[in-house]
Every structure is written in C-alpha cells, then in structure tokens.
Amino acid sequence: MTRRILALVVAALGIACACGRRDEAARPMIQNKGSDTMVNLAQAWAEEYREVDPDVAIAVTGGGSGTGIASIINGTVDVANASREIKPEEKEAARKSTGKDVVEHVVAFDALAIYVHAANPIPSISRGQLACVYAETGGCTKWTDLGVEVPGCSKQKIVRVGRQNNSGTYAYFREWVLGTRQDFKLGSLDMQGSKDVVDVVERTPCAIGYSGMGYRTPGVRVACVAGEEGDPCVEPTAETAATGKYPISRGLYMYTLGEPTGAVARFLAWVRSDAGQASVARLGYAPLPPERRTAPERRTGAP
Amino acid sequence: MTNPPGASGRLAKRAVLRARLGRAQELVIEAVIRLCGVSAVVFVFAIFFFVLREALPLLFGGLDLGQFFGSMEWYPDSLSNRRYGALALILGTLAVTGLAMVFAIPLGLGAAIPISEFSRGRTKEALKIVVELLAAIPSVVWGFIGLMILNPVIIDLFDAPIGLTVLNGAILLALMSVPIMVSIGEDALKAVPDTYREAAEAMGATRWQVVRRVLLPAARNGLLAAVLLGVGRAVGETMAVLMATGHAVTIPTGPLDSVRTITATIAAELGETARGSDHYRVLFVLGTLLFAITFVVNLTADLVIRGFRRR
C-alpha cells in the first residue's frame, strides 16, 4: 500500500515537473521593471494580459524609474517602466552597451489633482500658493492667507492632507511644488492611499490634498491649477493632462531596446488600446486620449 | 474453571508493558511541554535580537541620539537634508496612550466591579461575553470607525479643523483595551477571599462600602496589573491609530491635535524602504524603542502581579 502511494507521488511529481518545464519553454516571459509609481498599473496590465494572451507571462518588478532604465541599459529587461523621460546620456549608454537604440512608448499620464472640500470657494491655486502651504518654510497656515474664507472651517486653519513619504505621488508632488532643495512642512496628515486623501478631504471643510485625478468623487472640489502666479489656471482632464497643459502632469513611459517584436510588440499594442487604457483610468492615472491610442506612437532614440 | 497456565503470566506482562508505555508517554509529553515553555522565551529573545541586529549599524554608526530624542524633525527621505528626529512620534504615542487610559481605566475597572460583585448567573455571563466580544473586533475595523464616523463627529462637536486627532485615537484605543482590563480586573476581584466580604457585611457595611473599603484595597495589585496590561495593548496598537490619529508629525498640545505614533510610522514606512538604508535602520531603532517600552510595562505588570500573589 505504502509503496503504491509512493509510486503515485513520484509519478505525479514527474508529470508536474514535465509540465512545468514544457510550459516554461513554450511561454515567452516578458521582464518588466522600473517605476514605483507605475508598479500597480504594470501589475494590473500583467494580470489582465494573462486573459488576452495566456501564452505570455509578464514578470513585473518595481525599484524606481532609475532602476528600470539601468536595467534596459544593461539589457537585462525587455520593457523598462519610467515616470520620467530617459536622459540623452542614458540613451547613449544603452547604445554603447547593447548596440541598440532605446525606443520610447507613452503608455499613460500621471496627473495630480488638488482636492478641496465641496464648500471651499477658492477659484484657482498656483504653484507659489501651494509652496506657501506645503513647504517647510512656507507661511500660509490659514485659508485667509490665500484670500478665501471657507464656510464651516474652524479658525480658517488649513489642514494639509498628503501621502506617506515612500509614495511615488508624494515624491512627484514634492518635486513639482518644492524642487529638490526643500521639504514639506511637518504636520500634514499622511494618508496610506490615494483614495484615503480624497475621503478625508470630502469630510473635512478645512482640508486641502493632492492625489491622482482618477480618484475624484462628487463630494469634493477639484481646484483649477496655475503653473505660475498670473498664468491662466487649467482644470485637470484626460486631455489637458495628455497635452501637458495641466501643470501637474507627466508622461508614464515604457522603454524597449529597438523596435519591439513578437510578444513584446503585441503586449505594448494592447497596453495602448482601449482595453489596456481602461485599467489606467481605474487605477487613478490619466489615460491616453482616444486619438492617440490606436496609432502607433514611438519616438526612436536618436538624440 | 481455571485459567490456562500461561494466561496470568501474559496478563502480568501486558500490565508491565502498559506501565512502561505510560511512563514513556509521560516523558514525551513532559518534553513537549517543556519545549513549548522554553520556545516562548526563545521567540522573545529571537525577535529582540533580530530587531536590534537591523538597528545596530545605525545606532552605533551615525545616528545622532540627541536629535533622535530631542528633535521633532522627521525627514527620513529628504533629498537635501535628512533628519531623524523622533520626539514627535514618541510624544504622539504617549499622548494617545495616556488619554486612552483616562477613558479606559474608569470604564474598564468600572465594568469589572459590577460584573464581579453585583451580577449573578446569566446576567454575569452575558455581560462577560459582550465585553469579550469587544476584543474580537479587528483593529482595522476600529480604524475605519475612527476615519469615517468619529472624524466628522469630532469636527461638529468641538468645532475642530480636523477630527483625526489624539482624541479620536484615544477613544478607539480605550474601547480596545477595556476588554483586557475587565477580564483581568474581574479575576483580581474574584481572588479576594469571600471571608473578607462576609466579615465586612457582618460589621454592617453596605455593598458599596464593601467594594470601596475592602475589595478595592485588597485587589489593588491585580487591578494595577489589569491597567498596565491595557497600557501595553494600547502602546502596541498600530492599525487603528494609523487611521484615526491623522498620521501627522506634530507635537501634541491638546486632545484636538493630529499626531503620529511610533507603531504607525513603522507600519507606514517600512514596506517600501530600501533594505539596509538608513531610513530602514532608523525604523528598526524605533522598533527597538517600542520593544523596550512594552517590555518595561509588561515587566512592571508582572512584578506587580507577583507582589499581589505573595500577599
């Protein structure tokens, strides 16, 4: 009896091994690495793409845009994710080390909306005003400092809502508002998720917060943002984010070595299709505008 | 009828065998139980060792302890000027725990007295079960209540700018540490011999006088231990305070300020720091500090309970 069970186990293991090996050989594996801002999005794409093309496996790792680009320079990944454009010297390094040009694919946009309570009457907010509110050295602590009076807000105190300091949103907003030399003022409410920021702002008349534009709810107001004092302000929409008119927006990129072929080309085409862009909106990023979806849009890496 | 000659011998042999087997079983069980007992000690030391091991390179290699304990500037990921000042986090933890105890001690011990002394039979059982149910609510649910329900209530009630405050966290922590206080407080009161109650009643004391003059002094150590274990529960709580206190690095000046606790900081930041970086290590230094605080609280509780047994 025991021997028979043992034999069965051995046989099962043998079959499992064989299957595993055959699968691995048959399934192309796409290595995808880079931006932490994009890691949720890339993971969602990888999961959904399994249904589209079950024969392709996609392995997603984070680590940051720099890590992703370093890997493409070394030729160790198929697709690198980055929430910034690749630098000319990085392109040069990639050409030297692999002999191929890096090709850029815009896959989505990341736009941060400035959320305030529904009762907040502020007409628009500029980068300078945001710096005054959020910077360590900024002096704006009351809504009256920004020229408005918020009904229902006790003592007109500005309650700053933000993200915990390892979030990509935190880093991007800090870079846009404060540059690299300054830090945020302490004492902001550091939320764990993009949605939490909007939830808190919705329930707090005094609050101001930043979060992905996809997290907008009917209960909050989205402020119109001006790049510099005096500039006309722009409302965040999929269109203004994609054209770069909206100031707090940036492209999210995927980079490949040379024009992609085979499984990678099919995957990137799907990412840029309506089906792939649906997850972009769901995860709080700004999708590509419809007219830029179908047309293959690539810039080759010639500097 | 007489037994066949070999039968009694066989029976005797079987009895001897059974006795031996029993003894062997006893030895095995004893060994297993001893292993369980020792394992708890091993685990505690192992946890402390591993937390400390990650903290040590920074602790003896560049962490400015004066800044760590004396400054509120917590900028672990600044691009231009990194600062690891944990004062606001330490004070935040103390403020939330302290205020929580202000609510929890009267509630917890207040509940232990009627459950132990003034109720009988079914009422007593029902009350105990309900109180213990409080302990079964997951902390993330408490946090959700703080974020969604208490936040607007506090804003309306106190005309505060924000409801995610020390007060909010303290109310949740109080409700979370009440069950442990009630359970242990009730045990402490039960441990007072009935002869004390009978003697007091024989002297003509009312029930209230019995409680106040006889039971509370007699059960003092046990009640103190109940409170300290409640404190330990509150200091270590993470998820609920992360959601309810606002998670803001400020030095609290009143119950309506937002704060950030040590536990919440570790939970929020450890997940995505690079292994081995200074930021990673300073979180382990915070962990060591937290371990030290809970260790001292629990040790005090233990010593107090021991005192109460000896008497």
Side-chain angles (χ1 to χ4, degrees):
Chain A
M1 186 64 199
T2 328
R3 199 170 294 168
R4 198 181 296 165
I5 292 176
L6 207 69
L8 269 176
V9 168
V10 168
L13 277 177
I15 291 168
C17 286
C19 283
R21 210 171 297 146
R22 201 185 54 210
D23 253 2
E24 231 157 77
R27 288 178 82 186
M29 174 73 94
I30 300 179
Q31 293 290 346
N32 179 204
K33 189 172 189 174
S35 165
D36 278 322
T37 312
M38 291 169 71
V39 77
N40 287 340
L41 185 60
Q43 240 144 22
W45 274 332
E47 262 161 47
E48 278 166 44
Y49 197 65
R50 209 180 298 154
E51 317 245 304
V52 179
D53 188 353
D55 290 337
V56 177
I58 299 168
V60 178
T61 11
S65 302
T67 315
I69 290 173
S71 313
I72 203 99
I73 290 173
N74 299 330
T76 54
V77 295
D78 302 301
V79 180
N81 302 338
S83 55
R84 62 168 171 85
E85 283 188 40
I86 191 167
K87 296 172 194 157
E89 62 265 29
E90 288 168 339
K91 278 180 183 168
E92 198 51 49
R95 188 179 306 130
K96 263 195 197 133
S97 101
T98 64
K100 289 180 192 164
D101 280 332
V102 174
V103 179
E104 177 179 281
H105 313 263
V106 183
V107 292
F109 295 93
D110 185 16
L112 298 187
I114 304 298
Y115 292 98
V116 292
H117 191 258
N120 193 318
I122 193 160
S124 75
I125 194 158
S126 70
R127 189 211 300 252
Q129 285 175 314
L130 283 170
C132 180
V133 170
Y134 275 101
E136 197 181 359
T137 50
C140 302
T141 56
K142 293 182 182 306
W143 282 105
T144 44
D145 296 337
L146 299 181
V148 289
E149 199 151 317
V150 181
C153 172
S154 164
K155 296 178 205 120
Q156 295 302 318
K157 185 185 167 197
I158 299 178
V159 173
R160 287 161 289 132
V161 185
R163 292 294 309 280
Q164 87 277 11
N165 54 26
N166 51 26
S167 115
T169 311
Y170 170 99
Y172 175 42
F173 188 69
R174 180 175 64 184
E175 186 192 319
W176 185 78
V177 179
L178 309 172
T180 54
R181 310 223 141 238
Q182 284 188 80
D183 285 301
F184 283 133
K185 200 188 296 179
L186 289 172
S188 62
L189 308 185
D190 304 334
M191 297 289 123
Q192 286 300 295
S194 299
K195 194 177 158 296
D196 293 350
V197 172
V198 182
D199 281 345
V200 168
V201 171
E202 189 176 338
R203 284 170 182 74
T204 316
C206 297
I208 182 169
Y210 57 86
S211 189
M213 60 175 260
Y215 293 95
R216 183 178 196 159
T217 64
V220 290
R221 256 198 73 207
V222 169
C224 188
V225 179
E228 296 309 326
E229 204 96 32
D231 285 3
C233 73
V234 183
E235 298 273 354
T237 62
E239 200 205 323
T240 56
T243 55
K245 250 191 187 165
Y246 181 68
I248 329 177
S249 69
R250 56 176 173 177
L252 299 179
Y253 307 94
M254 283 185 164
Y255 290 98
T256 54
L257 277 175
E259 285 295 328
T261 53
V264 176
R266 284 197 299 277
F267 171 62
L268 285 173
W270 175 83
V271 159
R272 293 167 51 86
S273 70
D274 288 353
Q277 293 295 307
S279 344
V280 175
R282 183 167 51 79
L283 288 170
Y285 303 95
L288 300 172
E291 70 276 8
R292 287 174 70 175
R293 287 185 194 172
T294 40
E297 178 187 321
R298 289 168 203 140
R299 285 185 269 153
T300 44
Chain B
M1 285 271 273
T2 52
N3 279 332
S8 67
R10 257 205 311 273
L11 272 178
K13 240 182 215 166
R14 203 176 281 172
V16 168
L17 201 69
R18 198 175 293 156
R20 252 187 221 154
L21 210 70
R23 227 172 295 140
Q25 216 173 356
E26 199 89 334
L27 279 176
V28 169
I29 291 174
E30 232 181 82
V32 168
I33 290 176
R34 185 165 300 153
L35 201 69
C36 290
V38 172
S39 74
V41 177
V42 170
F43 285 142
V44 169
F45 276 102
I47 290 170
F48 186 66
F49 171 74
F50 282 111
V51 171
L52 196 65
R53 196 184 61 171
E54 297 296 325
L56 276 181
L58 185 66
L59 211 52
F60 292 116
L63 183 69
D64 178 357
L65 281 179
Q67 185 189 55
F68 185 76
F69 286 108
S71 156
M72 65 163 288
E73 292 181 356
W74 179 254
Y75 286 110
D77 67 333
S78 166
L79 296 175
S80 47
N81 181 14
R82 290 183 185 215
R83 281 152 285 172
Y84 303 109
L87 181 65
L89 312 180
I90 298 167
L91 290 181
T93 298
L94 294 182
V96 178
T97 310
L99 189 62
M101 288 307 116
V102 170
F103 299 136
I105 292 170
L107 257 176
L109 300 188
I113 293 168
I115 289 176
S116 158
E117 300 302 315
F118 297 114
S119 50
R120 299 260 166 277
R122 269 203 195 163
T123 334
K124 186 169 181 163
E125 285 313 307
L127 280 175
K128 276 174 81 167
I129 289 171
V130 172
V131 167
E132 274 152 24
L133 252 179
L134 266 184
I137 299 175
S139 65
V140 65
V141 173
W142 284 115
F144 193 73
I145 292 172
L147 196 62
M148 292 299 175
I149 300 171
L150 278 180
N151 177 28
V153 167
I154 290 174
I155 291 179
D156 287 346
L157 221 58
F158 298 98
D159 189 25
I162 178 75
L164 301 175
T165 54
V166 173
L167 178 66
N168 192 332
I171 291 172
L172 299 182
L173 280 189
L175 289 174
M176 293 172 85
S177 46
V178 155
I180 199 168
M181 287 194 193
V182 172
S183 294
I184 295 176
E186 200 229 331
D187 283 347
L189 288 171
K190 215 191 309 176
V192 177
D194 273 342
T195 46
Y196 282 36
R197 296 184 182 81
E198 285 155 11
E201 272 166 29
M203 305 278 287
T206 63
R207 286 173 100 180
W208 171 236
Q209 284 168 329
V210 174
V211 168
R212 203 163 64 102
R213 298 279 175 80
V214 179
L215 290 181
L216 287 186
R220 198 181 54 213
N221 285 340
L223 295 176
L224 191 59
V227 169
L228 287 176
L229 285 174
V231 171
R233 172 90 181 79
V235 171
E237 173 50 40
T238 305
M239 205 55 216
V241 289
L242 175 58
M243 294 166 82
T245 57
H247 205 55
V249 184
T250 43
I251 290 184
T253 53
L256 294 179
D257 281 346
S258 294
V259 291
R260 192 201 267 212
T261 61
I262 298 174
T263 48
T265 304
I266 297 174
E269 296 182 5
L270 190 58
E272 286 173 55
T273 53
R275 228 187 124 94
S277 65
D278 279 0
H279 186 186
Y280 173 87
R281 299 217 182 278
V282 80
L283 292 177
F284 276 93
V285 175
L286 281 179
T288 311
L289 177 66
L290 198 62
F291 195 97
I293 294 174
T294 41
F295 182 74
V296 167
V297 169
N298 279 3
L299 191 71
T300 317
D302 212 54
L303 291 178
V304 164
I305 290 180
R306 200 160 302 160
F308 146 72
R309 288 228 187 92
R310 205 175 295 139
R311 263 158 45 107

